């Protein structure tokens, strides 16, 4: 990344510095981002990505990408591919360190055998329901399984036969042998291997037993030489097992990974759970994982959010140990700030009203100079001719007092062009305004005698003859939340039915012809827009990224 590496102070960085001061991790800092390839990444994952890659970068260390693919029934290579595309797009690189937990299945099996030999794991024949019943509760200790005291030899034999495929799914598991009376439920002989006769997207039919997350994760970290295993808060109560496992397998406390938890990102008006996002896709509430209303990285990309805006947002929110809900307008604020600086300005009319400049020759066409961007400069020409479109809402027949746009007998400046005066309002049989007849002060354009003449309002416009037709898609929040920003349990019932509005008769100036999907514009006075991939040379499609109004900056200045 071109930008300077900076880091908002945070407790994880403090812990890393503490470790370094104490002489730990002399080989350097090594983090990882460990997605399960069972869905598309979302904005919450972006926080974790920025944090893990950011910590590594800041400490001149490394960050691995590791697919946590230990649950073959839900995983797919489609997700593996999309995850890599999204991380790259966000601006991060894992170099040649792309790994899969499934790469370690042989090693993990050996570690399990070592535990058995140490008397620290046993094969249990209890069913899943029985294991749950024996587990006890937060207030009651658990009960030991009748199979808990099998001999090492018997356990080794049974585990080998589990691997060989002799037993049906669910008939046996391998459990850690720790303490059924532990106040921490995870420490009550947690299950570390299960039988599942299913094909894995990478290892095929080689395995019919698969390691559980709690077993595979710490060991994958240790195998890769991870120093700081950063994860979300729900894993806090799993940390004692993480440490127990590494202790039991004799990993050196000075070099082995340390688990640190932080609060996951929650956003108002947004669901950040892969399960819920999958439901939206599979039940057809959205067009796909990359629907511009989705909080997936691919959805945000299609919506026109930029990697820099998302990274800045993650920097702004920081990391904490306590759960909270971030206002989604803060993310929009970062998008607006980036596009304000980097998007070129153009003129587009979403709800057209025809205007005829009666004193402008019918066959004349002028190309007027217009500036592209207040920060980066640049110019283009926009064509002017006798018949134009303006926005319907920029004309009012009976306006309130402080209405500075066009009204009967009133004047307004057309951006980059002339001052015009409304002389006549043309209506259809129902009394709707269908056309305005105006005259232009032909000396009032740049360089003209009355160029400096001031009128109160300036409006945007496009010339009919040269304008390009466009489809414009306007988005609102997918989900309505309560006043505290909480998404209700039944989020499907809270779906906003008006989250998509399609305008299929908008007009836009011809300078945007043949621009590629992903190009951003500010439509003057309207908002920020991006060219959608549905665009073809004959059919322009734009997504509204964000409006111009910044509710976040307003509240927080
Ligand atoms: P989900 O709850 O959406 O299914 P997950 O945690 O199961 O997410 P993983 O693929 O396991 O999904 O996540 C990869 C990493 O991203 C994990 O380290 C996880 O803690 C982190 N992560 C997931 N959701 C968030 C979030 N909302 N905020 C911050 N980090 C997150
Ligand atoms: Mg997970």
């Amino acid at each position: 990344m071109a930008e300077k590496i900076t880091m908002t102070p945070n407790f994880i960085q403090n812990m890393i510095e503490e470790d370094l001061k104490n002489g730990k991790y002399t080989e350097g800092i090594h983090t990882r981002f460990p997605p399960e390839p069972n869905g598309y990444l979302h904005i919450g994952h972006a926080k974790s990505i920025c944090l893990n890659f950011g910590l590594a970068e800041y400490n001149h260390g490394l960050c691995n990408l590791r697919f946590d693919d230990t649950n073959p029934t839900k995983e797919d290579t489609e997700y593996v591919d999309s995850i890599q595309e999204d991380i790259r797009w966000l601006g991060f690189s894992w170099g040649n360190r792309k790994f899969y937990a499934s790469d370690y299945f042989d090693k993990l099996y050996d570690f399990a055998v070592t535990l058995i030999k140490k008397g620290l794991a046993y094969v249990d024949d209890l069913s899943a329901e029985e294991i749950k019943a024996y587990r006890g509760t937060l207030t009651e200790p658990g009960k030991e399984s009748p199979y808990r005291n099998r001999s090492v030899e018997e356990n080794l034999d049974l585990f080998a036969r589990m691997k060989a495929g002799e037993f049906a799914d669910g008939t046996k598991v391998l459990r850690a042998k720790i303490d059924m009376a532990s106040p921490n439920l995870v420490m009550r002989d947690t299950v570390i291997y299960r039988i599942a006769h299913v094909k894995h997207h990478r290892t095929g039919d080689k395995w019919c037993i698969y390691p559980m997350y709690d077993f595979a994760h710490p060991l994958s970290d240790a195998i890769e030489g991870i120093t700081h295993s950063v994860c979300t808060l729900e894993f806090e109560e799993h940390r004692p097992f993480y440490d127990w496992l590494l202790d039991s397998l004799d990993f050196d406390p000075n070099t082995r990974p340390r688990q640190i938890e932080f609060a996951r990102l929650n956003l108002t008006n947004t669901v950040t759970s892969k399960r819920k996002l999958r439901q939206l896709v599979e039940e057809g509430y959205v067009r796909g994982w990359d629907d511009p209303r989705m909080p997936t990285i691919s959805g945000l990309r299609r919506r026109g959010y930029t990697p820099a805006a998302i990274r800045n947002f993650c920097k702004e929110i920081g990391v904490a140990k306590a759960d909270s809900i971030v206002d989604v307008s803060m993310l929009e604020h970062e998008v607006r700030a980036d596009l304000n600086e980097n998007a070129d300005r153009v003129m587009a009319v979403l709800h057209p009203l025809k205007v005829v400049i009666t004193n402008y020759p019918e066959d004349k066409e002028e190309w007027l100079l217009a500036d592209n961007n207040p920060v980066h400069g640049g110019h283009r020409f926009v064509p002017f001719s006798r018949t134009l479109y303006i926005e319907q809402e920029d004309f009012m027949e009976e306006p309130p007092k402080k209405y500075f746009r066009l009204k009967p007998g009133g004047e307004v400046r057309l951006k980059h062009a002339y001052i015009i005066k409304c002389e006549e309002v043309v209506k259809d049989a129902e009394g709707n305004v269908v056309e305005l007849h105006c005259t232009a002060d032909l000396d009032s354009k740049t360089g003209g005698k009355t160029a400096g003449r001031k009128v109160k309002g300036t409006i945007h416009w496009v010339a009919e003859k040269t304008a390009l037709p466009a489809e414009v898609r306007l988005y609102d929040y997918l989900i309505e939340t309560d006043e505290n920003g909480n998404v209700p349990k039944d989020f499907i019932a809270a779906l906003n039915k008006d989250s998509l509005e399609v305008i299929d008769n908008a007009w836009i100036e011809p300078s945007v012809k043949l621009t590629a999907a992903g190009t951003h514009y500010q439509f003057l006075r309207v908002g920020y827009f991006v060219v959608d991939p549905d665009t073809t040379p004959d059919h322009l499609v734009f997504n509204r990224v964000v409006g111009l109004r910044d509710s976040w900056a307003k509240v927080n200045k």
Side-chain angles (χ1 to χ4, degrees):
M1 261 177 293
E3 70 214 88
K4 200 166 138 239
I5 304 169
T6 56
M7 162 100 57
T8 321
N10 68 63
F11 73 95
I12 301 180
Q13 177 60 24
N14 294 344
M15 288 166 109
I16 291 177
E17 284 169 19
E18 187 86 21
D19 283 340
L20 292 173
K21 222 182 285 162
N22 293 334
K24 292 181 79 181
Y25 309 122
T26 50
E27 305 271 293
I29 298 308
H30 207 145
T31 58
R32 86 285 170 265
F33 174 65
E36 184 180 353
N38 64 348
Y40 280 63
L41 296 182
H42 54 61
I43 183 71
H45 293 114
K47 175 176 178 177
S48 178
I49 291 167
C50 289
L51 180 59
N52 278 298
F53 282 92
L55 285 167
E57 212 168 1
Y58 186 74
N59 293 288
H60 308 290
L62 298 170
C63 181
N64 294 358
L65 168 61
R66 182 198 316 138
F67 290 104
D68 230 316
D69 56 349
T70 53
N71 191 3
T73 47
K74 291 200 212 144
E75 295 158 3
D76 197 276
T77 46
E78 174 194 352
Y79 304 129
V80 169
D81 295 340
S82 74
I83 287 169
Q84 294 180 71
E85 182 185 357
D86 290 348
I87 299 172
R88 265 191 229 110
W89 179 78
L90 279 173
F92 298 101
S93 167
W94 54 89
N96 59 356
R97 294 175 313 281
K98 174 175 79 179
F99 302 112
Y100 295 83
S102 57
D103 291 340
Y104 312 136
F105 280 173
D106 284 300
K107 284 186 182 151
L108 296 176
Y109 180 83
D110 292 343
F111 280 129
V113 169
T114 304
L115 282 186
I116 294 173
K117 285 182 180 160
K118 288 185 162 203
L120 295 174
Y122 62 98
V123 172
D124 196 348
D125 296 4
L126 291 184
S127 68
E129 298 81 63
E130 286 167 324
I131 288 177
K132 208 166 155 208
Y134 275 59
R135 202 161 155 236
T137 63
L138 283 174
T139 50
E140 281 167 59
K143 212 166 74 179
E144 294 189 353
S145 162
Y147 304 99
R148 194 173 196 263
N149 293 313
R150 277 175 163 153
S151 70
V152 168
E153 290 66 39
E154 190 183 0
N155 281 319
L156 285 173
D157 173 61
L158 287 173
F159 190 49
R161 288 163 60 194
M162 278 168 66
K163 180 189 180 211
E166 279 188 38
F167 308 114
D169 292 4
T171 57
K172 286 185 168 39
V173 291
L174 185 69
R175 300 179 70 174
K177 191 170 179 178
I178 311 175
D179 178 8
M180 288 306 290
S182 169
N184 182 334
L185 292 175
V186 182
M187 298 299 272
R188 294 184 188 172
D189 293 7
T190 206
V191 173
I192 59 180
Y193 262 91
R194 67 194 189 289
I195 302 172
H197 291 265
V198 285
K199 203 180 172 94
H200 187 279
H201 71 99
R202 297 194 75 240
T203 57
D205 290 323
K206 177 171 175 193
W207 296 89
C208 62
I209 55 171
Y210 291 97
M212 303 298 288
Y213 177 89
D214 277 336
F215 182 74
H217 199 85
L219 292 173
S220 302
D221 283 343
I223 289 167
E224 291 177 17
I226 300 305
T227 58
H228 296 85
S229 180
V230 179
C231 63
T232 38
L233 276 182
E234 67 270 25
F235 291 103
E236 194 164 21
E237 63 175 24
H238 296 244
R239 180 159 23 104
F241 180 74
Y242 191 106
D243 292 334
W244 177 90
L245 187 60
L246 297 182
D247 268 340
S248 304
L249 291 166
D250 303 315
F251 284 95
D252 179 354
N254 275 319
T255 55
R256 76 184 196 203
R258 169 180 187 188
Q259 177 179 305
I260 304 172
E261 311 85 18
F262 69 98
R264 61 172 40 231
L265 170 66
N266 300 302
L267 270 184
T268 57
N269 299 85
T270 310
V271 286
T272 44
S273 140
K274 275 187 272 188
R275 185 182 58 74
K276 290 179 180 165
L277 295 175
R278 181 175 312 110
Q279 190 180 346
L280 290 173
V281 174
E282 285 174 358
E283 295 178 12
Y285 294 106
V286 293
R287 275 179 51 170
W289 287 98
D290 72 342
D291 186 298
R293 291 165 293 179
M294 290 281 274
T296 50
I297 305 296
S298 52
L300 298 175
R301 172 165 64 233
R302 184 159 187 178
R303 175 71 173 265
Y305 283 29
T306 60
I310 295 172
R311 291 197 303 265
N312 288 339
F313 168 72
C314 291
K315 229 175 244 173
E316 278 299 309
I317 57 175
V319 266
K321 198 83 190 173
D323 271 315
S324 65
I325 304 182
V326 176
D327 195 320
V328 70
S329 68
M330 193 173 162
L331 174 58
E332 294 162 3
H333 167 79
E334 295 298 340
V335 173
R336 203 175 279 112
D338 186 16
L339 295 183
N340 178 46
E341 187 175 325
N342 294 306
D344 278 348
R345 275 56 173 165
V346 294
M347 292 197 286
V349 172
L350 304 196
H351 301 100
L353 172 61
K354 194 180 265 195
V355 171
V356 180
I357 311 294
T358 52
N359 62 337
Y360 197 87
E362 214 144 326
D363 51 359
K364 185 170 172 181
E365 185 176 281
E366 293 180 85
W367 289 76
L368 305 170
L369 193 65
D371 47 324
N372 290 341
N373 183 294
V375 180
H376 300 294
H379 291 89
R380 70 189 185 287
F381 288 103
V382 291
F384 188 90
S385 51
R386 181 180 161 97
T387 307
L388 314 169
Y389 292 118
I390 65 168
E391 232 34 274
Q392 283 167 18
E393 63 168 30
D394 284 337
F395 171 79
M396 274 184 97
E397 200 171 10
E398 286 163 43
K401 256 202 184 126
K402 291 207 164 158
Y403 187 82
F404 297 128
R405 292 168 273 167
L406 202 54
K407 56 191 170 195
E411 282 190 314
V412 80
R413 179 173 288 279
L414 297 177
K415 182 76 181 171
H416 305 306
Y418 301 99
I419 294 170
I420 59 168
K421 184 174 181 185
C422 177
E423 309 281 0
E424 193 190 342
V425 181
V426 182
K427 296 182 183 178
D428 64 12
E430 277 101 57
N432 302 309
V433 177
V434 291
E435 196 173 305
L436 302 177
H437 289 176
C438 298
T439 50
D441 171 354
L442 295 172
D443 288 321
S444 61
K445 71 168 181 180
T446 307
K449 274 200 302 255
T450 55
R453 189 154 78 80
K454 290 267 181 295
V455 290
K456 280 252 163 83
T458 300
I459 63 173
H460 61 276
W461 54 275
V462 293
E464 182 193 44
K465 223 191 291 180
T466 38
L468 305 173
E471 176 183 331
V472 176
R473 298 172 184 166
L474 306 178
Y475 302 98
D476 197 352
Y477 299 125
L478 193 55
I479 293 164
E480 322 243 26
T481 46
D482 65 19
E483 65 273 20
N484 299 320
N486 293 303
V487 174
K489 265 222 171 69
D490 183 3
F491 75 105
I492 294 291
L495 285 176
N496 173 9
K497 289 180 186 56
D498 301 317
S499 59
L500 169 64
E501 181 192 345
V502 178
I503 295 173
D504 48 23
N505 58 342
W507 294 97
I508 187 161
E509 61 169 77
S511 69
V512 304
K513 200 174 163 94
L514 297 177
T515 42
T519 307
H520 294 91
Y521 293 103
Q522 186 196 92
F523 291 0
L524 276 183
R525 301 179 62 238
V526 180
Y528 293 99
F529 290 78
V530 68
V531 181
D532 186 84
D534 283 346
T535 285
T536 65
D538 307 317
H539 183 68
L540 289 171
V541 183
F542 292 91
N543 296 316
R544 182 169 64 194
V545 188
V546 278
L548 293 175
R549 215 175 65 100
D550 192 336
S551 54
W552 178 257
K554 216 167 126 199
V555 175
N556 293 280
K557 279 275 146 66

